[in-house]
Amino acid sequence: MSKLNYSEIEKKWQEYWKENGVNTTSNDFENGKPKFYILDMFPYPSGEGLHVGHPKGYIATDVYSRMKKMQGFNVLHPMGWDAFGLPAEQFAIKNKINPNIATEKNVKRYKEQIEMLGLNYDWNREINTTDPKYYKWTQWMFKQMYKAGLAHESFEPINWCPSCKTGLANEDLDGNACERCGTQVEKKPLRQWVIKITDYADRLLEDLDKLNWEPHIKELQKNWIGKSEGSEIDFEIVDAEKNNLKENKLRIFTTRADTLFGCTFMAISYSLAKEWIENGWQASEEIQNFISEIEKEEKARTADFDMTKLEKKGIDTEIKAINPANGAEVPIYIANYILSDYGTGAIMAVPAHDERDYEFAKKYNLEIIEVIKSKEENTEELYIGEGVEINSGEFDGMNSEEARIKITEKVGGKIVSKYKLKDWVFARQRYWGEPFPIVFDENKKSYVVADKGLPVVLPNVENYEPTDTGESPLANIHDWVEVYGFINEEGEFESLDKSDERAKKFFRETNTMPQWAGSSWYYLRYIDPKNDEIFVNKDLEKKWSPVDFYVGGAEHATRHLIYARFWHKFLFDKGFVNYDEPFSKLQTVGLIMAEDGKKMSKRYGNVVNPDDVVKEFGADAMRTYEMFMGPFDKSVSWNTNSMAGVSRFLERVYSLTSKIDFSEEAKDDREVERVINETIKKVGEDIEDFKFNTAIAQLMICLNTFEDEVKKDKLISRKTFESFIKIISPFAVHISEEIWQNIFDYKTSIHLADWPSYDEAKMKKDEIEMSIQISGKFRGTFSIKPDSGDEEVLEVVKSTKVYKKYIGDNLEPKKIIVVKNRLINIVV
Ligand SMILES: [Zn+2]
């Protein structure tokens, strides 16, 4: 057996591909090839480099894109770096190295590892979100949002991670904890930038229907957007003025306006009560103590706290409201189950038809009025389902669904949609991010920087450690923060020399953008990465977009994938891009776990390093093994023995090259012909469906067939073996090139060759197995030519031992049923 020198041939062919532009994608569509844009979620280059699990998705898109290219598509398969953000900054702080330098180093290491695997990215299109030439456009897009009224300053309390020392969006949380470090977040009032992503909530929801995404990812987005239809209803407060309340009504949102007649009290959050006190309400000491108590309890609760287990607590404000349905006066309670950040801070409580209200009413002896009667027999005092109205005046007898709308109308309420999706908290009080293209005048009024002032470049600083004050480290760099200039006719800031008489002093925004900014549009930049005029030429974008196939981690379902869809729709609305959705098809990747079944982590010491694997088994074996491990979207554990098995398989492929019949008249046996045609078909179809494991299994079956021939001292024809090498080439990229150019003596790359076609007629077996049933009972099998007619089948069956044994000459068949190519049933 001829042993392959992996590192030698890998290096040789990787250099050859580079020199000959084998992986270069052309924007020239004149050749009439259809386009195919396949995209990986670009990595965050951390300091630790890749472990074997990281490139699984990249290998898959590589295999897929190679097949597509061979099938005649113009394929775009780019790669870049999502390099801003907290981890890079924390790595830099910990290792006392500037984030710029750390990022550069990490990118270099990632790129080496990716190239080591022979992945076919077109590096001419490489992008990096931290490159000023790139983030110039991120800033420019933010500016468009600002001008469209979609981005604005806000002073609302936001999630604050005391450990990372930055504000966070809801998408950055895991329950109530910081997704990065696990620390419980606090609410902190902080000046920040907010993007009104909620303006797009309906479209983000409805347009999911257009997408060929895995259903569970769509479901996650749907729930994250969380649309609910309900009614907004105002309750008048009795003697509001006398109680020194600023407002004389309480607005509530309910999805069950049909139960309004059953509202016997109202409940408000402690935060609304505090607001009342700030505005002049003279609450008793007892009430004030109660407010502090439940505030403290709410803040101490951890993210995994089960709210259904909360013991209900409340206190009567002694203030009353009027139920607008029946004019009844109802007490207003401060209650601990109305959370501080809940909608309007107030609810109408209907104890007969809501579990929490029921529990509360029982505890405080509040009235319970039943207003919905179940259509089935129901003896419980609490009923939360739909039904028919009772005790509801003119609405008695009406269906609850209909009553919701009618009762809302009657009390002057409004049917509205509410969303769980919140506006996007877009500012971070950290160093390592895109600066905002914003300056303030002395009165703190904001202006966008004129285009010629872009990019606003992130300055180098001595100290990029975060502060506790909620100010970014940039705030201390006075040279950078203070700028001189004027506001031009468009209302945008243009800088001037300090000495210019028109120059006034302005101050730069010192927050930076979240990591999600640069990744919200990067896929567009690959199309036209060097354009200085615009982020992407619109004609070129029309040709390449949308992304046909997007592959990455499911953890991005409610983060990156929502932001990018929103961002894209905004660019579409402004006329910068041609389509309103960025990613047509989405496929998520299953993790590769460590050999011990745990997640690979430095902490467990179970990380498998791809450098070691490639050194021992070769890059092709690692690629092929990762695709063979199991279904692509499932988690699988690494197994070194199986890895070695795949390596042996590839060695067997190579050693078979000494058994090729190169003569013109070479012809294969029927069985070899049948298997190669079947394999071409199956491998093509399986790669198309991302079923790489079964594709490789079929390649193994095919190799076994070849080896069986060789054992019979026969050779394999050149034509057949070429087809086999072509269809294995997306997996074993180097070995196949070696065979193609060195053994078959071709002068161009196998990866530019045509994908082989198959002949369905040749895939038929000479004989197939059919089963015999006698009166419905399985009795045995027999061999016969495929597609034989009923007469022929019966003819063959009559000569079998089974027939002779069970029927013979004694019995007369009453009925004969033949299921073509499968079975014959003889009823006697
Ligand atoms: Zn944190």
Side-chain angles (χ1 to χ4, degrees):
M1 192 191 275
S2 43
K3 255 277 193 193
L4 279 164
N5 184 335
Y6 305 122
S7 63
E8 197 181 288
I9 69 160
E10 284 165 12
K11 215 169 140 237
K12 177 174 75 183
W13 294 118
Q14 285 166 15
E15 267 164 28
Y16 169 87
W17 296 328
K18 220 179 268 178
E19 274 165 28
N20 291 276
V22 170
N23 298 331
T24 309
T25 301
S26 153
N27 278 336
D28 176 12
F29 286 84
E30 297 303 309
N31 55 23
K33 283 184 179 181
K35 70 98 179 179
F36 200 91
Y37 186 177
I38 183 161
L39 180 70
D40 296 283
M41 288 185 186
F42 64 162
Y44 184 85
S46 78
E48 285 164 21
L50 298 169
H51 69 55
V52 288
H54 293 127
K56 182 177 165 187
Y58 311 157
I59 296 170
T61 55
D62 188 74
V63 169
Y64 189 93
S65 65
R66 284 172 192 275
M67 180 185 79
K68 280 287 181 198
K69 215 164 167 178
M70 292 172 82
Q71 288 174 339
F73 288 83
N74 197 14
V75 175
L76 178 57
H77 186 217
M79 182 46 90
W81 316 102
D82 184 17
F84 268 135
L86 269 180
E89 186 170 331
Q90 281 160 343
F91 174 86
I93 290 170
K94 201 172 133 206
N95 296 285
K96 303 245 176 293
I97 161 172
N98 183 301
N100 252 311
I101 294 164
T103 298
E104 206 176 306
K105 213 175 122 210
N106 296 347
V107 163
K108 192 164 163 270
R109 168 98 181 98
Y110 264 59
K111 202 166 163 182
E112 274 167 12
Q113 286 187 305
I114 284 177
E115 291 194 305
M116 167 184 87
L117 294 172
L119 299 169
N120 68 352
Y121 297 115
D122 180 358
W123 292 110
N124 298 317
R125 294 171 184 264
E126 178 180 0
I127 56 163
N128 184 327
T129 54
T130 66
D131 178 353
K133 283 191 183 141
Y134 179 90
Y135 68 66
K136 169 185 174 176
W137 296 110
T138 312
Q139 292 173 340
W140 183 85
M141 290 171 191
F142 176 83
K143 180 175 160 179
Q144 309 310 313
M145 290 185 195
Y146 176 97
K147 287 165 83 170
L150 219 54
H152 60 93
E153 263 186 296
S154 158
F155 298 84
E156 298 289 303
I158 57 158
N159 308 306
W160 171 262
C161 174
S163 166
C164 295
K165 294 176 182 169
T166 185
L168 297 170
N170 274 8
E171 286 79 8
D172 296 318
L173 304 187
D174 199 347
N176 202 35
C178 168
E179 189 255 339
R180 278 219 53 73
C181 68
T183 309
Q184 291 296 308
V185 296
E186 297 164 357
K187 288 278 176 199
K188 182 165 174 158
L190 202 64
R191 186 187 67 79
Q192 86 238 231
W193 288 92
V194 167
I195 293 180
K196 282 161 77 183
I197 191 171
T198 49
D199 280 8
Y200 284 73
D202 263 325
R203 284 166 68 193
L204 288 171
L205 200 62
E206 278 160 23
D207 290 350
L208 280 173
D209 290 343
K210 297 185 193 170
L211 303 176
N212 179 12
W213 287 18
E214 291 156 288
H216 72 278
I217 300 292
K218 285 194 191 184
E219 202 53 34
L220 284 168
Q221 287 217 343
K222 242 176 236 172
N223 293 337
W224 187 260
I225 297 164
K227 182 177 181 171
S228 57
E229 292 259 342
S231 315
E232 235 171 37
I233 294 170
D234 290 340
F235 280 60
E236 200 189 314
I237 300 175
V238 181
D239 293 334
E241 213 170 314
K242 225 161 86 190
N243 283 303
N244 292 318
L245 297 184
K246 219 167 102 189
E247 303 271 353
N248 62 359
K249 59 185 190 217
L250 269 180
R251 174 161 291 178
I252 59 102
F253 172 79
T254 176
T255 56
R256 292 298 301 269
D258 51 308
T259 64
L260 186 55
F261 283 85
C263 167
T264 54
F265 66 101
M266 298 189 80
I268 65 170
S269 65
Y270 77 79
S271 49
L272 181 58
K274 273 174 80 174
E275 215 179 289
W276 283 6
I277 291 171
E278 276 162 30
N279 288 321
W281 175 43
Q282 307 282 319
S284 70
E285 208 182 312
E286 196 193 351
I287 289 176
Q288 300 210 27
N289 289 340
F290 178 78
I291 291 171
S292 316
E293 182 189 320
I294 63 172
E295 177 175 8
K296 221 182 284 161
E297 283 172 8
E298 185 182 316
K299 283 188 171 159
R301 245 170 254 149
T302 54
D304 50 8
F305 181 78
D306 182 357
M307 282 302 290
T308 59
K309 302 239 162 71
L310 176 75
E311 198 207 321
K312 310 286 178 290
K313 268 200 277 194
I315 193 162
D316 192 349
T317 60
E318 310 277 335
I319 299 174
K320 296 205 166 15
I322 295 170
N323 182 337
N326 53 15
E329 282 194 2
V330 296
I332 303 174
Y333 274 75
I334 303 166
N336 67 342
Y337 69 97
I338 315 302
L339 299 182
S340 57
D341 59 354
Y342 171 82
T344 60
I347 64 150
M348 69 172 208
V350 184
H353 304 290
D354 180 279
E355 271 168 37
R356 295 172 314 166
D357 300 344
Y358 179 76
E359 208 182 305
F360 193 88
K362 277 288 179 194
K363 181 164 175 181
Y364 293 100
N365 265 323
L366 296 160
E367 200 180 353
I368 298 174
I369 304 174
E370 194 191 350
V371 289
I372 304 291
K373 203 169 154 43
S374 163
K375 284 172 186 165
E376 280 98 53
E377 198 59 39
N378 175 45
T379 50
E380 302 284 316
E381 196 177 7
L382 172 66
Y383 173 68
I384 57 173
E386 305 281 350
V388 176
E389 303 285 320
I390 54 169
N391 300 325
S392 296
E394 66 203 85
F395 303 98
D396 281 357
M398 196 182 274
N399 267 333
S400 44
E401 286 94 342
E402 194 190 346
R404 278 209 261 292
I405 297 161
K406 292 276 175 332
I407 293 178
T408 303
E409 275 169 15
K410 179 196 149 135
V411 301
K414 218 166 59 181
I415 301 287
V416 292
S417 298
K418 291 262 172 186
Y419 301 90
K420 264 198 250 162
L421 182 73
K422 295 278 183 292
D423 279 334
W424 183 3
V425 173
F426 196 72
R428 298 292 176 272
Q429 293 67 46
R430 301 288 305 217
Y431 169 70
W432 192 233
E434 298 87 349
F436 282 86
I438 295 282
V439 298
F440 297 92
D441 64 17
E442 310 226 279
N443 300 318
K444 302 200 169 160
K445 182 169 167 15
S446 62
Y447 302 89
V448 281
V449 174
D451 282 2
K452 61 172 142 176
L454 300 183
V456 176
V457 178
L458 190 62
N460 273 319
V461 298
E462 295 281 313
N463 185 7
Y464 31 78
E465 305 236 2
T467 67
D468 288 312
T469 57
E471 287 249 52
S472 147
L474 290 176
N476 296 324
I477 314 169
H478 300 289
D479 293 359
W480 183 78
V481 174
E482 288 171 20
V483 281
Y484 290 85
F486 71 106
I487 302 306
N488 68 16
E489 281 173 8
E490 279 89 51
E492 299 182 355
F493 170 80
E494 284 185 42
S495 64
L496 288 171
D497 194 82
K498 193 177 174 177
S499 60
D500 194 303
E501 57 181 23
R502 290 171 302 160
K504 279 194 190 134
K505 194 170 171 184
F506 291 85
F507 304 88
R508 289 200 191 279
E509 168 64 62
T510 57
N511 286 319
T512 54
M513 297 187 198
Q515 195 192 347
W516 308 111
S519 61
S520 289
W521 68 276
Y522 74 107
Y523 52 90
L524 290 166
R525 190 63 177 168
Y526 287 133
I527 293 172
D528 198 7
K530 301 197 168 74
N531 195 333
D532 284 332
E533 306 293 316
I534 185 74
F535 65 94
V536 64
N537 174 288
K538 201 177 167 185
D539 293 333
L540 216 48
E541 194 268 335
K542 186 168 188 178
K543 286 177 177 159
W544 279 115
S545 284
V547 171
D548 297 283
F549 207 154
Y550 195 18
V551 178
E555 71 274 16
H556 291 293
T558 56
R559 299 189 170 112
H560 159 62
L561 288 170
I562 289 209
Y563 293 144
R565 289 184 60 220
F566 151 73
W567 200 287
H568 195 89
K569 284 180 185 300
F570 169 73
L571 294 176
F572 173 76
D573 289 352
K574 289 281 146 196
F576 297 120
V577 295
N578 294 279
Y579 309 94
D580 68 349
E581 281 287 340
F583 316 120
S584 305
K585 187 173 178 182
L586 179 81
Q587 170 70 54
T588 55
V589 193
L591 291 176
I592 293 182
M593 312 302 270
E595 201 133 13
D596 56 12
K598 282 194 204 146
K599 212 170 161 168
M600 274 190 206
S601 162
K602 250 188 171 174
R603 206 176 347 150
Y604 305 130
N606 59 5
V607 173
V608 184
N609 183 323
D611 303 60
D612 300 337
V613 177
V614 168
K615 211 164 166 192
E616 190 176 352
F617 299 103
D620 287 351
M622 178 174 149
R623 294 169 56 103
T624 310
Y625 171 58
E626 291 209 357
M627 295 298 96
F628 185 57
M629 287 175 88
F632 182 72
D633 57 343
K634 299 280 180 302
S635 310
V636 204
S637 296
W638 185 265
N639 184 307
T640 304
N641 284 337
S642 312
M643 170 79 246
V646 170
S647 172
R648 281 194 300 277
F649 162 67
L650 295 179
E651 299 245 346
R652 280 162 54 206
V653 171
Y654 187 74
S655 67
L656 211 65
T657 55
S658 61
K659 304 291 181 188
I660 299 169
D661 183 348
F662 283 92
S663 65
E664 286 286 328
E665 59 278 8
K667 206 172 176 320
D668 298 303
D669 278 3
R670 272 284 289 123
E671 182 62 5
V672 171
E673 259 190 349
R674 187 185 70 73
V675 173
I676 188 68
N677 279 284
E678 193 175 84
T679 305
I680 293 168
K681 178 170 193 270
K682 182 151 174 66
V683 169
E685 287 171 358
D686 284 356
I687 293 177
E688 186 66 50
D689 293 341
F690 259 48
K691 290 181 185 156
F692 305 106
N693 56 334
T694 53
I696 293 165
Q698 180 65 35
L699 287 164
M700 290 172 170
I701 291 171
C702 190
L703 182 71
N704 288 341
T705 307
F706 292 172
E707 287 176 340
D708 288 346
E709 280 298 285
V710 168
K711 274 181 211 148
K712 291 185 246 162
D713 277 333
K714 289 179 180 160
L715 298 176
I716 308 297
S717 76
R718 173 185 181 135
K719 184 171 176 283
T720 292
F721 204 75
E722 269 190 24
S723 295
F724 181 76
I725 292 305
K726 280 180 178 177
I727 57 177
I728 205 173
S729 73
F731 300 98
V733 293
H734 307 92
I735 296 172
S736 58
E737 189 78 283
E738 176 75 13
I739 295 173
W740 188 254
Q741 299 209 27
N742 269 4
I743 294 173
F744 291 135
D745 209 24
Y746 284 105
K747 299 296 174 222
T748 51
S749 172
I750 187 167
H751 303 295
L752 302 175
D754 291 336
W755 191 255
S757 55
Y758 55 86
D759 183 349
E760 199 94 40
K762 287 189 174 152
M763 284 162 54
K764 293 220 172 107
K765 288 190 175 175
D766 286 343
E767 295 217 309
I768 53 162
E769 293 255 286
M770 284 180 67
S771 27
I772 311 176
Q773 290 180 1
I774 300 191
S775 297
K777 245 200 188 112
F778 174 80
R779 294 295 185 191
T781 61
F782 62 99
S783 294
I784 190 166
K785 274 217 302 260
D787 301 330
S788 299
D790 295 5
E791 294 292 310
E792 291 165 81
V793 172
L794 190 61
E795 204 58 36
V796 175
V797 165
K798 278 184 174 167
S799 66
T800 62
K801 277 186 195 153
V802 175
Y803 188 89
K804 282 172 188 152
K805 180 176 170 194
Y806 290 97
I807 301 174
D809 300 326
N810 311 331
L811 292 168
E812 189 61 33
K814 267 196 239 154
K815 202 173 161 195
I816 294 165
I817 306 153
V818 178
V819 181
K820 202 172 179 181
N821 292 339
R822 297 235 347 251
L823 62 86
I824 178 167
N825 184 14
I826 305 167
V827 183
V828 290

